[in-house]
Amino acid sequence: MNLPNYQEAKTRDERSYKRVNFEFDTKIKNKYKGKKFYLKTYGCQMNEHDSENIEALLCNLGFSKVDDYNDADLVLLNTCSIRENAHNKAFGMLGRIKHLKSEKKDLIVGLCGCMAQEASVVDEIMRDYKFVNFVFGTHNMYQLPNILDKAIKENRQEIEVFSREGDLVEGLPVVRANKYKAYVNIIYGCNKFCTYCIVPYTRGKERSRLKEDILKEVDELIQDGYKEITLLGQNVNAYGKDLYDDYTLGNLLEDIAKKDIPRIRFMTSHPWDFTDSMIEVLGKYPNIMPSVHLPVQSGSNRILKLMGRRYTKESYLELFNKIKKTVPNVAISTDIIVGFPGETEEDFQETLDLVETCKYDNAFTFIFSKREGTPACKLKDDVSLEEKEERLQRLNEVVNKYFLENNKKLEGKEVLVLVEGVSEKKKMYFGYSDTNKLINFSSNRDLEVGSIVKVKITSAKTWSLDGEEVE
Ligand code: SAH
Ligand code: SF4
Ligand code: F3S
């Protein structure tokens, strides 16, 4: 048994990582043939991509996937810790599974992902959720086959969570959820330690993958017919810093952009690490999509400082304007937290003012949520829930106004759309534009999913646009 420990999880030192190539033990291939698994994923794209690896591991073991947990022999929850409601969702699901397990004694239940890295969660699982057969964390996903085996054989709760990162594992099998759009991890972990955020504890130290490994994966995706790749990391702009003297995200983007891949995206960018040379690369290559997620969190310098964000409103705006000027037709999206401890009405007003200035194309807005073990958890949370909710609502009204206003500007214009699907009934297609906007459109021809077509926008809504294909 290995239990999580926050003290260790926040350690950052100069250890170098062994890079190991995962090999699936052929002796256990199809060991569970005929068994079915249900995998539920919470949280961000990183978790979604981890689930693609978990699914592949389970398929190699002979499991097949089901969409209803009532039909499953194995239920696995890949969890998220970012806000309290993510926790609540996973625990709510565990409650339902407990009920199922009381009827289906052989059901195997597992929990993994970011919540598994939290000591308090694991304590709770050991105390109140004894029916959970196994728990593993974000650093030892590759051990799933052994952990599962042990949990079944030894018939006791198996908890294997590493607080510190181990080796950097390459070559995990993957079952991708989409045939045309793929996620590619470029950097794991986060060193920023924003005071409200749990990710540096649950995902560990920043570790970049070797550029050769990334470029090889991209080549394979191109060979397999993928049209869009999204480079993933909690802070992709820190890519390479731990490995190279002079190879950054800008260089990586450039090397990928020279390949025959129509669409490249990346997320998420921390404003602190955004360099001029990266911005130039974004402006230079048409296959790097003009869409940048640039989380601001707050428009008040006082709050930004308390959040440990390492930039001011002024330096953020300077960066924002540079990106807008250098990258043609770029759409910028953001994340904002309201109700951070000590946020006054004036601070909040500054956030609203910043949104009025930036007129974001998209924004994810959140109420501050206390995360145990983070520095902000110790601050006096003096904004009432009522006030937080009211601020969120006021903020959403302003951000929504600009979503619509930006979308309206596209009316009458032509945009390129990667076709993702068709609703048979009305023969309407849908897909995303280069700036990542959802487009519903009609066409006179039969279009193939995965093709990129030109669509003329006929009408704009707040969260989507309507159009028709122009041949
Ligand atoms: N690495 C990304 C953010 C990942 S988390 C970045 O720094 O840009 C996604 C978003 O969740 C954050 O940008 C933040 O707005 C929000 N978030 C993180 N911790 C939170 C907390 N404790 N309460 C409320 N929102 C939070
Ligand atoms: Fe969290 Fe900040 Fe790291 Fe983003 S940069 S994952 S908000 S600590
Ligand atoms: Fe959640 Fe972990 Fe992602 S906390 S947002 S799943 S990195």
Side-chain angles (χ1 to χ4, degrees), residues 190-194 196-200 234-235 270 297 309:
C190 180
N191 286 356
K192 288 287 181 288
F193 286 101
C194 301
Y196 50 82
C197 184
I198 202 159
V199 171
Q234 280 301 346
N235 173 19
H270 189 295
Q297 315 298 357
R309 286 293 286 184

Side-chain angles (χ1 to χ4, degrees), residues 335-347:
D335 294 342
I336 298 171
I337 298 175
V338 300
F340 188 80
E343 185 188 70
T344 61
E345 175 58 29
E346 289 72 43
D347 292 316

Side-chain angles (χ1 to χ4, degrees), residues 293 332-336 360-365 396 399 403 463:
H293 190 59
I332 300 185
S333 55
T334 201
D335 294 342
I336 298 171
Y360 291 105
D361 279 87
N362 202 355
F364 301 90
T365 56
N396 284 342
V399 293
F403 300 166
W463 284 285

Side-chain angles (χ1 to χ4, degrees), residues 395-463:
L395 175 63
N396 284 342
E397 274 166 28
V398 183
V399 293
N400 292 349
K401 180 177 84 184
Y402 288 112
F403 300 166
L404 184 61
E405 198 178 294
N406 285 316
N407 284 351
K408 283 265 178 218
K409 286 188 200 144
L410 289 173
E411 280 180 352
K413 299 236 165 73
E414 287 175 3
V415 297
L416 290 173
V417 176
L418 172 61
V419 183
E420 293 216 1
V422 56
S423 70
E424 287 302 335
K425 230 175 22 201
K426 286 203 261 158
K427 197 86 200 280
M428 285 290 280
Y429 293 91
F430 68 90
Y432 287 84
S433 69
D434 50 1
T435 52
N436 221 5
K437 291 179 191 277
L438 175 61
I439 317 280
N440 295 300
F441 64 100
S442 57
S443 169
N444 294 326
R445 348 177 252 159
D446 280 335
L447 297 178
E448 283 196 21
V449 171
S451 58
I452 295 175
V453 298
K454 210 185 268 172
V455 174
K456 186 170 178 175
I457 301 299
T458 50
S459 96
K461 299 177 191 154
T462 304
W463 284 285

Side-chain angles (χ1 to χ4, degrees), residues 13-220:
D13 59 22
E14 288 308 309
R15 276 171 312 138
S16 57
Y17 299 93
K18 258 201 303 166
R19 289 163 199 277
V20 295
N21 244 318
F22 176 85
E23 280 194 33
F24 193 85
D25 180 359
T26 47
K27 287 201 288 294
I28 54 174
K29 191 148 175 94
N30 290 329
K31 181 167 180 182
Y32 296 99
K33 205 166 172 55
K35 298 277 184 206
K36 301 185 181 100
F37 76 94
Y38 171 84
L39 173 60
K40 173 86 184 159
T41 308
Y42 302 87
C44 65
Q45 288 85 357
M46 237 111 1
N47 253 20
E48 280 176 33
H49 189 37
D50 285 351
S51 281
E52 295 182 330
N53 293 128
I54 292 170
E55 178 169 341
L57 286 170
L58 291 173
C59 289
N60 276 351
L61 286 169
F63 281 97
S64 56
K65 186 174 156 184
V66 290
D67 294 328
D68 182 348
Y69 64 89
N70 289 298
D71 300 333
D73 303 292
L74 164 68
V75 172
L76 184 55
L77 307 186
N78 189 8
T79 60
C80 168
S81 308
I82 201 82
R83 283 170 292 274
E84 199 182 344
N85 59 358
H87 261 217
N88 294 347
K89 276 189 212 156
F91 275 116
M93 185 68 183
L94 279 181
R96 269 170 276 156
I97 294 165
K98 184 178 186 176
H99 185 72
L100 179 65
K101 183 132 179 177
S102 65
E103 294 161 4
K104 207 169 163 179
K105 295 279 182 250
D106 291 341
L107 181 68
I108 301 289
V109 182
L111 183 138
C112 61
C114 288
M115 277 170 68
Q117 297 292 146
E118 292 183 76
S120 59
V121 169
V122 173
D123 283 347
E124 199 170 337
I125 302 267
M126 293 195 310
R127 194 182 57 231
D128 301 332
Y129 296 84
K130 293 203 168 68
F131 67 91
V132 172
N133 298 78
F134 65 95
V135 178
F136 62 95
T138 55
H139 302 309
N140 61 332
M141 197 167 71
Y142 61 94
Q143 292 186 324
L144 167 62
N146 303 342
I147 296 168
L148 176 66
D149 233 28
K150 236 164 132 184
I152 294 173
K153 235 190 255 151
E154 296 179 15
N155 196 23
R156 62 174 165 87
Q157 200 172 51
E158 184 65 29
I159 299 190
E160 277 300 324
V161 179
F162 301 168
S163 296
R164 296 178 74 179
E165 324 75 18
D167 301 330
L168 207 142
V169 181
E170 290 291 342
L172 276 175
V174 59
V175 174
R176 296 192 185 268
N178 190 300
K179 269 163 71 186
Y180 302 98
K181 302 203 314 190
Y183 291 131
V184 174
N185 280 325
I186 63 168
I187 180 166
Y188 301 100
C190 180
N191 286 356
K192 288 287 181 288
F193 286 101
C194 301
T195 58
Y196 50 82
C197 184
I198 202 159
V199 171
Y201 308 85
T202 62
R203 292 273 169 175
K205 181 182 149 128
E206 280 173 3
R207 290 145 289 148
S208 300
R209 286 178 71 197
L210 290 175
K211 62 181 185 213
E212 294 79 12
D213 289 330
I214 298 169
L215 294 172
K216 187 169 146 243
E217 184 173 348
V218 170
D219 284 337
E220 285 163 6

